[in-house]
Amino acid sequence: MSFSISSASSVAGLTPSRTSATRPIDGLPADKLMSALTASDREIVYQATGRRVDESSNIVSMFAVEIALDRQSGYLSAGQEISPAYLQLMATKYAGDEYSQSFGVAIGNALSYLAEQAPRTGIDVTA
């Protein structure tokens, strides 16, 4: 199961469209994928994209979809916060020009947000 891209270049409609996926996501309906996000994930998505997401969101950014898929697959385990290292790996994975609208700005915004939070939370954003 995967998602179709809407006419806006940086959002995806939560409807199955392709048969191939990079991670197994069986057992979680497309309309419930956002339930895999933690409260912290949702705040990072908001800070990165300017859009709030929840279980009832029908259109979400590809950035949010990627994080939700990583949560659902276990790549981001329960209790593991999104880190600058995770975002850097995502930036490397989606470094091509074709991904700049969907991921480039969002990843930069997310990294800036984590850097702003670091003095208050003790997060090391240089890792």
Side-chain angles (χ1 to χ4, degrees):
M1 180 187 319
S2 62
F3 305 97
S4 62
I5 297 175
S6 73
S7 60
S9 62
S10 63
V11 295
L14 292 180
T15 56
S17 66
R18 293 185 302 184
T19 56
S20 63
T22 58
R23 290 171 229 92
I25 56 173
D26 293 335
L28 190 62
D31 62 344
K32 299 297 181 194
L33 184 60
M34 293 299 105
S35 67
L37 296 176
T38 66
S40 176
D41 296 343
R42 291 168 200 257
E43 184 61 24
I44 288 173
V45 168
Y46 173 68
Q47 295 296 326
T49 66
R51 296 187 117 187
R52 296 262 182 218
V53 295
D54 61 27
E55 292 84 2
S56 64
S57 298
N58 290 325
I59 297 179
V60 298
S61 68
M62 291 303 297
F63 180 74
V65 169
E66 182 72 11
I67 294 169
L69 289 171
D70 284 346
R71 282 283 178 212
Q72 196 277 326
S73 72
Y75 182 75
L76 280 171
S77 60
Q80 179 183 3
E81 295 293 325
I82 292 175
S83 67
Y86 168 81
L87 293 171
Q88 291 294 342
L89 287 172
M90 187 188 291
T92 299
K93 180 177 178 180
Y94 295 107
D97 289 340
E98 66 272 24
Y99 301 114
S100 64
Q101 289 287 328
S102 298
F103 291 96
V105 172
I107 292 169
N109 290 345
L111 285 167
S112 294
Y113 171 72
L114 290 179
E116 291 170 7
Q117 300 304 304
R120 288 180 264 154
T121 63
I123 297 171
D124 179 9
V125 297
T126 60

